[in-house]
Amino acid sequence: MKKTIRNILVLAILVISTFTATVPSFAATKKTTYKDCEYTIHITNTKTVKVTGHFDTEMGTQLVTLLNKYRKANGLNTLKVKTSLYKAALIRAYEVSYKFDHYRPSGKSCFTASSAMYAENISSGYKTASKIMSGWKASAGHNANMLRSNVNYIGIAVFCRRITTSSGKYTYITYAVQCFGK
């Protein structure tokens, strides 16, 4: 009996560790562990696809801080996180990991993710919050969205999509989304 329970526990630990990724956090001295999950994306009423990965909430928080610091340095108000925009950013982050576009995988406009959304920034491939911000600052359209004087709210999400390599191991591609609201 004890041997059976031990075998079940070992199997459970193996299954959990298979779907758990250790990803370096913003601070080089510590690591944050994230659990990968599957997310369903609706393509049509009858067709869906799934992506696997995790949300990096720590990096998302860092992006909010960096954005507000940037706005303040440019004489603008800081933005408050709005729940509806955050939820839209979460959805859009895993959607853009499948189809990197301001149109949703269903073909609808990104603005259908939330009626509160006024503008959207997306990014792919940057591994730190500061590099994501640098990329957005270097793009005229993204920078203009970050420096809009008529927005008051923000929702930011970072999704790390798990990609299996040819050797059978996996790596992650980071996608970030900013959803701005008035």
Side-chain angles (χ1 to χ4, degrees):
M1 179 76 165
K2 286 183 183 180
K3 193 173 185 178
T4 304
I5 292 171
R6 187 173 125 296
N7 289 344
I8 291 170
L9 288 173
V10 168
L11 180 61
I13 290 168
L14 286 173
V15 169
I16 291 168
S17 65
T18 301
F19 294 103
T20 303
T22 301
V23 180
S25 70
F26 194 63
T29 57
K30 71 175 190 173
K31 288 189 175 186
T32 303
T33 302
Y34 296 97
K35 185 175 184 229
D36 286 343
C37 295
E38 277 191 343
Y39 297 90
T40 302
I41 299 170
H42 296 275
I43 307 297
T44 66
N45 286 340
T46 58
K47 183 179 177 189
T48 61
V49 295
K50 293 183 186 277
V51 295
T52 302
H54 59 270
F55 290 99
D56 188 333
T57 54
E58 185 178 338
M59 192 183 301
T61 300
Q62 292 163 2
L63 283 168
V64 171
T65 301
L66 290 170
L67 172 62
N68 279 330
K69 186 177 179 181
Y70 183 54
R71 287 179 59 84
K72 196 170 184 176
N74 283 277
L76 297 167
N77 64 309
T78 58
L79 303 181
K80 294 180 178 92
V81 174
K82 188 172 191 174
T83 302
S84 63
L85 293 172
Y86 175 64
K87 287 179 180 178
L90 290 170
I91 293 167
R92 291 292 297 137
Y94 66 78
E95 285 182 345
V96 298
S97 81
Y98 174 75
K99 181 183 178 194
F100 191 74
D101 198 323
H102 290 290
Y103 283 91
R104 300 178 74 183
S106 65
K108 295 179 182 177
S109 165
C110 64
F111 300 109
T112 62
S114 171
S115 60
M117 193 178 355
Y118 179 72
E120 177 187 70
N121 283 349
I122 60 177
S123 79
S124 170
Y126 297 105
K127 296 192 184 282
T128 67
S130 61
K131 288 186 179 183
I132 293 168
M133 280 298 291
S134 293
W136 281 332
K137 287 177 186 179
S139 163
H142 293 104
N143 194 54
N145 282 341
M146 292 192 300
L147 296 177
R148 287 180 182 271
S149 61
N150 63 340
V151 295
N152 295 299
Y153 300 100
I154 190 69
I156 298 178
V158 177
F159 183 70
C160 302
R161 183 175 178 184
R162 186 173 75 191
I163 306 294
T164 304
T165 64
S166 58
S167 66
K169 296 182 180 182
Y170 52 85
T171 187
Y172 292 89
I173 300 175
T174 303
Y175 297 87
V177 176
Q178 291 177 319
C179 296
F180 297 89
K182 291 184 175 184

